[in-house]
Amino acid sequence: MGAGASSRAAQLSITDPKICRSFLAGTCPHDLFTNTKQDLGPCPKVHSEPLKTEYESAPDSQRQKWGFEYDYMRDLQKYIDECNRRIDVAQRRLEKTPDEIRQTNALLKQIGDLSKSIETGLMEIQILGEEAQVSRAYEEFFRIRQAMQTKGDKERELKALSDTSGPSGHQKLQVCDVCGAYLSRLDNDRRLADHFYGKMHLGYAQMRKTFEAFPKELRGRRGPVAQDESENSPARGGGFDGGYGDGGYGGRGGYGGRGGGRGGGFRGRGRGFRGGW
């Protein structure tokens, strides 16, 4: 924070809507992803170390009165929901196209028909052999051998289609359920470690862990009215600049914003990869 910003911050009270409440109550999401693909840019609100110290030094009763944790939860929920939407989109991109599904089904049917034909032919050869019809048995054997070769070709074609269908191709991509990044099952341990210990993955893991740590009974309640907030404060109806959620405390069912309609916000994703390895 520059000298000008420090001077402005010194003139602001802890309940001023220009102050970043996520920074006061925990870690501002804007600070988690600097220099990554998900860089959110600088936070539009003021990060004041003295006010953070004031908040941390305040008794629990005063902090509950301020209610900054509600703004922090709503802020985290917004970014977690955005990440979850990216995960859903990324997962759909890995799914087969309708044409690939039709090709797969056609190959499966052809392989099934050939298998049945081969099985029937082998029984026919046995009967012809018992009846000493060697010539007809040899003709049937030749037909079966061709059918087996065709079946092998179709099985290889099905495997190639499975390996190359979708944008994932032979890379066998999976979507990380924490941060939404694509990972290859062919990656070595070093590359996987680079991902799991990378700044973007750890940032989303921290946000999810912090959000889950808030007591469930607090997530559906409205936060208290801060002392400095009045009718003219942007904290009432439409949220602060940069936003702490949809509709402030009074919007769409209190805390939770849009997420409140989806079971309390965060959808309980697991750690790891959808579909497994």
Side-chain angles (χ1 to χ4, degrees):
M1 186 182 299
S6 299
S7 177
R8 288 193 301 272
Q11 300 172 7
L12 299 175
S13 69
I14 197 168
T15 55
D16 193 296
K18 297 184 183 68
I19 296 295
C20 177
R21 296 183 174 185
S22 293
F23 176 77
L24 297 181
T27 302
C28 175
H30 289 262
D31 292 339
L32 292 174
F33 305 109
T34 53
N35 300 319
T36 71
K37 289 188 294 184
Q38 293 300 325
D39 195 325
L40 302 174
C43 179
K45 295 182 177 296
V46 176
H47 288 193
S48 170
E49 290 289 351
L51 292 180
K52 185 177 181 71
T53 300
E54 178 183 340
Y55 177 80
E56 293 173 345
S57 302
D60 289 343
S61 59
Q62 178 60 63
R63 281 193 266 180
Q64 290 175 5
K65 188 176 180 180
W66 284 328
F68 294 167
E69 64 178 4
Y70 292 92
D71 299 298
Y72 186 30
M73 282 192 291
R74 197 184 299 115
D75 206 13
L76 291 177
Q77 183 182 25
K78 179 179 69 174
Y79 291 107
I80 289 172
D81 282 348
E82 288 177 357
C83 182
N84 288 343
R85 284 191 289 271
R86 286 199 308 274
I87 290 172
D88 290 340
V89 171
Q91 185 63 30
R92 286 196 294 271
R93 286 175 179 167
L94 296 185
E95 295 172 356
K96 293 180 180 178
T97 65
D99 185 54
E100 289 166 341
I101 293 174
R102 283 194 294 270
Q103 291 180 49
T104 299
N105 290 338
L107 285 170
L108 287 171
K109 184 178 186 305
Q110 291 171 23
I111 292 170
D113 291 344
L114 287 166
S115 296
K116 186 175 181 179
S117 177
I118 291 168
E119 182 182 356
T120 302
L122 289 174
M123 293 176 62
E124 182 70 17
I125 288 176
Q126 183 178 358
I127 294 173
L128 292 172
E130 292 173 353
E131 296 177 353
Q133 298 187 40
V134 178
S135 178
R136 288 186 57 191
Y138 181 78
E139 291 175 359
E140 186 66 18
F141 174 75
F142 181 76
R143 187 190 68 78
I144 290 176
R145 189 172 65 177
Q146 286 185 317
M148 293 177 68
Q149 290 175 346
T150 303
K151 179 172 175 283
D153 291 341
K154 296 298 180 182
E155 288 174 338
R156 285 187 289 272
E157 188 177 344
L158 178 63
K159 183 179 184 303
L161 179 62
S162 176
D163 288 346
T164 59
S165 61
S168 59
H170 69 282
Q171 293 293 320
K172 295 292 186 181
L173 295 180
Q174 297 287 333
V175 180
C176 177
D177 262 358
V178 173
C179 67
Y182 287 115
L183 286 182
S184 171
R185 287 186 287 182
L186 304 179
D187 281 344
N188 56 34
D189 291 343
R190 176 62 181 274
R191 293 195 65 178
L192 290 175
D194 287 344
H195 168 78
F196 286 118
Y197 291 97
K199 191 171 186 179
M200 189 174 80
H201 181 92
L202 291 178
Y204 279 110
Q206 179 179 333
M207 282 204 304
R208 294 181 186 277
K209 183 177 180 180
T210 301
F211 185 85
E212 291 171 355
F214 285 112
K216 291 182 179 180
E217 60 269 21
L218 296 181
R219 298 182 189 178
R221 288 163 50 187
R222 297 183 179 182
V225 178
Q227 293 175 344
D228 284 7
E229 293 176 354
S230 63
E231 294 180 358
N232 297 323
S233 171
R236 285 301 102 203
F240 303 125
D241 291 338
Y244 280 116
D246 296 323
Y249 290 131
R252 303 197 185 187
Y255 168 70
R258 289 175 181 162
R262 301 167 58 193
F266 175 53
R267 290 175 288 173
R269 290 182 179 274
R271 299 288 190 262
F273 303 97
R274 181 179 300 174
W277 294 102

